C-alpha cells in the first residue's frame, strides 16, 4: 500500500497538474490531509485573522491511476478514515446561510476522543467521519477545490464515508484524483459553512472501470445508491439529481423509464448536501435492494 504526504496539495482540480503519486489499477493508497483551513485554526492562540484565504480547502494530490483514460469511470472505495485528535468549526459574517446573524467571527476547537466530539461540557456529538472534497480532473478549465461539479470536488456529501464507493467520470489520462476537507461530523446542508473541520488520513482503493461512464458522480453505500448534482442554485441541483438518478436506474437495471419514475416518487429521497459553496449540491438516493431486484450489480 502506498502513502501520499499531505504537503502535496493543490487548490484547483485540473488536467494540467502534474501527478505527485502514481498507483496501479486496483491499488490501495492512504492519503494524508490538512483540514480545510490548512490547520491554521488549531493552535489555541490562533484566531479567524490567522486564515489565509488563498489556502482554503487544500486537496492532497493529484494521484495518477494507471490505465484510466477519458471515457472510463474511476471507482474510489473508502476503506478507512482516521482523524486527528482535534477539529475546529467557525462562523463569520461573510459566509453561510445565517451569516447575517453573526456579529463577529467565532472559532470553536473540538476534541475528538473515544468516538465522540466534545462540543461543550454539556454535550458530546457522535463521530461521523466523512470526506468533503474528493474528485478528479475536470474536462475543461481548472476548477477551484472549494467548488463541486460533475468531476466531484467540494460536494460535502455526508455519505462519502467509510464503506462507500464513489464513481467519477474520467476526463484526463490517469484521472488525477485528489481529496481533502475531512469532517468529524457535519449536518446535511452545512448551513454555517463548516462541519467539524479536521485533518486526517483516508485509505482508499482506486479501480478503473473501462468504457463505462456517467457524466455525474455516483455514491454507493451498503444500503443506498445516490446520484449527486452540483449547480449554481439548489433548484437547479435537485432537478439534475432527479434526472441523474433516473438515468442511472434505467441504464443500470431492467427498470423501464416509467417504472423508474414511479419508484423514485415512492421510494427515493432528495437530500441537500451543502448550500454554501460556489455551486450547491443535492443528492437523490434510493435503497440498493430495490435496484438489485431489477438486476443491478455494483461494478
Amino acid at each position: 500500500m502506498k502513502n501520499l504526504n499531505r504537503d502535496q496539495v493543490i487548490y484547483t482540480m485540473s488536467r494540467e497538474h502534474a501527478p505527485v503519486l502514481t498507483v496501479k489499477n486496483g491499488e490501495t493508497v492512504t492519503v494524508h490531509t490538512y483540514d480545510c483551513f490548512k490547520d491554521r485554526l488549531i493552535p489555541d492562540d490562533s484566531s479567524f485573522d490567522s486564515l489565509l484565504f488563498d489556502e482554503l480547502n487544500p486537496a492532497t494530490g493529484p494521484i495518477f491511476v494507471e490505465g484510466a483514460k477519458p471515457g472510463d469511470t474511476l471507482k474510489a472505495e473508502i476503506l478507512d478514515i482516521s482523524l486527528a485528535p482535534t477539529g475546529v468549526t467557525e462562523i463569520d459574517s461573510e459566509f453561510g446561510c445565517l451569516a447575517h446573524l453573526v456579529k463577529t467571527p467565532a472559532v470553536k476547537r473540538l476534541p475528538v476522543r473515544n468516538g465522540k466530539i466534545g462540543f461543550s461540557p454539556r454535550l458530546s456529538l457522535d463521530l461521523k467521519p466523512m470526506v468533503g472534497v474528493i474528485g478528479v480532473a475536470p474536462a475543461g478549465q481548472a476548477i477551484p477545490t472549494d467548488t463541486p461539479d460533475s468531476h466531484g470536488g467540494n460536494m460535502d456529501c455526508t455519505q462519502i464515508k467509510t464503506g462507500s464507493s464513489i464513481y467519477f467520470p474520467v476526463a484526463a489520462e490517469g484521472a488525477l484524483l485528489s481529496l481533502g476537507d475531512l469532517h468529524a461530523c457535519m449536518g446535511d446542508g452545512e448551513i454555517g459553512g463548516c462541519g467539524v473541520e479536521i485533518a486526517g488520513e483516508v485509505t482508499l482503493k482506486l479501480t478503473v472501470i473501462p468504457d463505462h461512464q456517467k457524466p455525474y458522480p455516483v455514491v454507493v453505500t451498503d444500503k443506498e445508491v445516490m446520484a449527486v448534482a452540483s449547480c449554481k442554485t439548489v433548484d437547479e441541483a435537485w432537478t439534475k439529481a432527479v434526472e441523474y438518478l433516473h438515468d442511472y436506474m434505467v441504464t443500470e437495471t431492467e427498470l423501464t423509464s416509467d417504472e423508474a419514475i414511479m419508484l423514485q416518487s415512492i421510494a427515493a429521497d432528495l437530500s441537500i448536501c451543502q448550500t454554501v459553496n460556489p455551486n450547491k449540491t443535492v443528492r437523490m438516493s434510493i435503497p440498493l435492494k430495490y435496484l438489485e431486484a431489477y438486476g443491478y450489480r455494483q461494478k
Side-chain angles (χ1 to χ4, degrees):
M1 183 175 68
K2 292 184 177 177
N3 280 271
L4 182 55
N5 189 288
R6 71 179 189 165
D7 291 332
Q8 303 285 349
V9 298
I10 54 175
Y11 296 94
T12 62
M13 291 185 177
S14 170
R15 59 195 303 122
E16 301 301 322
H17 287 313
V20 296
L21 180 69
T22 297
V23 300
K24 296 177 181 177
N25 182 10
E27 192 167 7
T28 298
V29 59
T30 295
V31 180
H32 302 250
T33 72
Y34 289 102
D35 70 22
C36 76
F37 303 117
K38 209 175 182 183
D39 292 4
R40 293 188 181 277
L41 293 181
I42 295 299
D44 290 338
D45 59 353
S46 63
S47 68
F48 184 77
D49 295 332
S50 305
L51 296 181
L52 296 179
F53 288 94
D54 59 350
E55 290 191 353
L56 298 182
N57 284 111
T60 307
I63 300 169
F64 186 99
V65 183
E66 291 180 353
K69 63 184 187 304
D72 294 340
T73 292
L74 182 68
K75 178 183 180 181
E77 299 175 69
I78 309 295
L79 304 179
D80 187 57
I81 301 173
S82 176
L83 303 177
T86 303
V88 66
T89 196
E90 69 86 21
I91 54 173
D92 65 80
S93 59
E94 301 294 326
F95 192 58
C97 300
L98 299 177
H100 60 287
L101 300 180
V102 179
K103 295 180 172 57
T104 58
V107 176
K108 182 183 279 286
R109 292 167 195 88
L110 304 168
V112 175
R113 298 192 190 95
N114 302 318
K116 295 288 184 177
I117 303 160
F119 185 79
S120 73
R122 300 177 62 178
L123 177 64
S124 293
L125 305 174
D126 292 335
L127 193 65
K128 297 179 180 179
M130 55 161 285
V131 182
V133 172
I134 183 169
V136 296
Q141 294 182 335
I143 297 178
T145 52
D146 71 349
T147 304
D149 211 309
S150 58
H151 70 295
N154 195 15
M155 297 179 288
D156 283 324
C157 174
T158 56
Q159 299 307 300
I160 300 178
K161 58 188 180 180
T162 299
S164 68
S165 296
I166 312 94
Y167 297 80
F168 298 103
V170 176
E173 292 292 330
L176 301 180
L177 179 130
S178 304
L179 66 89
D181 185 35
L182 307 186
H183 301 98
C185 73
M186 191 195 86
D188 280 334
E190 198 184 24
I191 61 98
C194 285
V196 180
E197 309 294 334
I198 197 164
E201 305 169 7
V202 180
T203 300
L204 66 168
K205 180 180 179 181
L206 300 175
T207 305
V208 179
I209 303 173
D211 304 319
H212 182 87
Q213 186 176 97
K214 301 295 181 187
Y216 47 85
V218 173
V219 179
V220 180
T221 70
D222 61 340
K223 294 181 179 179
E224 293 182 310
V225 176
M226 58 204 78
V228 182
S230 299
C231 300
K232 289 296 182 184
T233 68
V234 169
D235 279 352
E236 291 175 299
W238 76 250
T239 301
K240 285 294 184 185
V242 168
E243 293 173 350
Y244 290 165
L245 185 61
H246 179 266
D247 171 75
Y248 195 80
M249 292 169 68
V250 170
T251 58
E252 299 298 313
T253 77
E254 297 161 4
L255 286 161
T256 68
S257 175
D258 288 352
E259 288 173 328
I261 294 170
M262 292 175 187
L263 199 51
Q264 282 180 272
S265 187
I266 63 179
D269 293 315
L270 272 172
S271 303
I272 295 174
C273 297
Q274 58 79 25
T275 57
V276 294
N277 298 329
N279 286 339
K280 316 309 175 191
T281 305
V282 174
R283 66 182 184 271
M284 191 174 205
S285 58
I286 190 163
L288 176 62
K289 62 184 179 181
Y290 296 163
L291 300 192
E292 289 177 335
Y294 280 85
Y296 176 75
R297 296 294 179 267
Q298 187 175 353
K299 294 179 173 61

